[in-house]
Every structure is written in C-alpha cells, then in structure tokens.
Amino acid sequence: MIRDTAYLVPGAASAAADATVASGADDAGAIRGLLFRIRHEPRWRLDVWKEASRLQELHDPDQDPYPKNGCASTLSVLLKRCGIDVGNEVYALRLVRQLLERGWERVPVGQQRAGDVGTTCGDERQPGIDHVYFVLDVDPLGGMTVVDNQDGLRPHWRPTEAQESFSPTTTFLRAPTASR
C-alpha cells in the first residue's frame, strides 16, 4: 500500500537517478527519486538486483549464493543508481558507517519513514545477523514495506521488532536535507 504520494512527481526519478551527488547534503533529494523508481519501475528494480548479484559473486564466489548474503551490495547499488556515491559495498556495517560519515542521522525505531535505511547492525560486524534494507512504506499499526536483497527487489513486509527469521532492527538512518 502506497500512502506517501508526495514523491510521485513525473521526471523526478530520472533527474535524481542521473545526478552525481557529491555530499550527503543532497542525499534526501536522491532518495525521493529512488522511492519513485522502486515503486513504479519493476524492470529497473530487476536490473539493480542483477547488478547486486554480480557484485556479491565477484566479492566472494565461495559464499552462499546471492541473494542470501547480498543486502549491502543490493542497497549500495540502489543508492549509487540514484546518485549517492557509496561505492561497491558488500558488508552491511561498513555501508551503515559510510552513510553516517555522509551525515545521515540515526532515527530511533518507531520513528522511521519512507526513504529511511533500516539496519540490524550493532557496533561490530556480526555475520548472519547484520542486515540493511530500504524502507518503502511504514504501516502505522506495525511493520513496514521494504526492499532488500530478497525476491528480485520486490517490496515485501518486514517487522520492526524481532520475529522468527527476522533480526531486530537496531536503528534507522535518514538522509540529511539540503536545507541544513
């Protein structure tokens, strides 16, 4: 269910997607374009998923096959495709640190909104527990619609709290706005 229609501006997606963002101050505009593309361009999502798969396999061909261990590569490709220069990252915690270095803010669990990045990472790398994902929509009754390395980047539901087969989200990250 898409409740946030403020981002549905024709042309905004391609302009944001093609922009090269030099600093985190411009990341919020790029995120608006990313929200549009994820919501309305399924073929684009599939291309991102394929690129992330290749990135993950190049990094460690002996690892479990993508998409099992590909959340950071998926999110880094998503962010790069919308103009946020995070490089080719394959580790969730390192991607979280890059976003924080760009000036992204930590947002407490429960205050997340569309366009935020959720993470289950702590202060140290924890293989099998660390995860990052992109929030597409928030359900006021609990849970979210997210995209990550699963199912060809098709939006799917994720709980905020720990549940069977879901690590608990520790924090959300939000892009800084250019007006600051």
Side-chain angles (χ1 to χ4, degrees), residues 98-112:
Q98 280 190 52
L99 293 175
L100 290 169
E101 287 171 9
R102 291 181 66 81
W104 287 47
E105 302 171 35
R106 289 185 185 269
V107 176
V109 173
Q111 295 180 22
Q112 69 272 19

Side-chain angles (χ1 to χ4, degrees), residues 105-113 116 170-174:
E105 302 171 35
R106 289 185 185 269
V107 176
V109 173
Q111 295 180 22
Q112 69 272 19
R113 64 181 184 211
D116 288 347
T170 56
T171 193
F172 290 90
L173 305 174
R174 182 168 298 149

Side-chain angles (χ1 to χ4, degrees), residues 25-74:
D26 299 328
D27 289 357
I31 290 297
R32 286 190 295 275
L34 179 58
L35 281 163
F36 182 90
R37 293 199 88 172
I38 290 172
R39 289 174 172 159
H40 300 286
E41 298 181 23
R43 292 192 70 161
W44 181 85
R45 288 194 319 253
L46 186 57
D47 288 345
V48 167
W49 196 71
K50 288 176 182 177
E51 183 180 340
S53 172
R54 287 190 296 275
L55 171 62
Q56 190 68 34
E57 289 167 6
L58 283 172
H59 170 71
D60 191 353
D62 298 326
Q63 202 174 51
D64 287 335
Y66 185 87
K68 183 171 172 53
N69 286 321
C71 63
S73 58
T74 300

Side-chain angles (χ1 to χ4, degrees), residues 55-93:
L55 171 62
Q56 190 68 34
E57 289 167 6
L58 283 172
H59 170 71
D60 191 353
D62 298 326
Q63 202 174 51
D64 287 335
Y66 185 87
K68 183 171 172 53
N69 286 321
C71 63
S73 58
T74 300
L75 187 58
S76 71
V77 171
L78 277 171
L79 295 173
K80 285 187 325 182
R81 288 263 186 118
C82 78
I84 298 174
D85 185 17
V86 291
N88 294 326
E89 189 52 68
V90 295
Y91 295 111
L93 182 56

Side-chain angles (χ1 to χ4, degrees), residues 4 13-14 20-21 24 27-28 36 41 56 81 101 105 113 116 127 137 151 157-158 160-161 169 176 179:
D4 185 4
S14 44
T20 301
V21 177
D27 289 357
F36 182 90
E41 298 181 23
Q56 190 68 34
R81 288 263 186 118
E101 287 171 9
E105 302 171 35
R113 64 181 184 211
D116 288 347
D137 198 11
D151 202 19
W157 183 84
R158 178 180 174 86
T160 304
E161 294 82 28
T169 300
S179 62

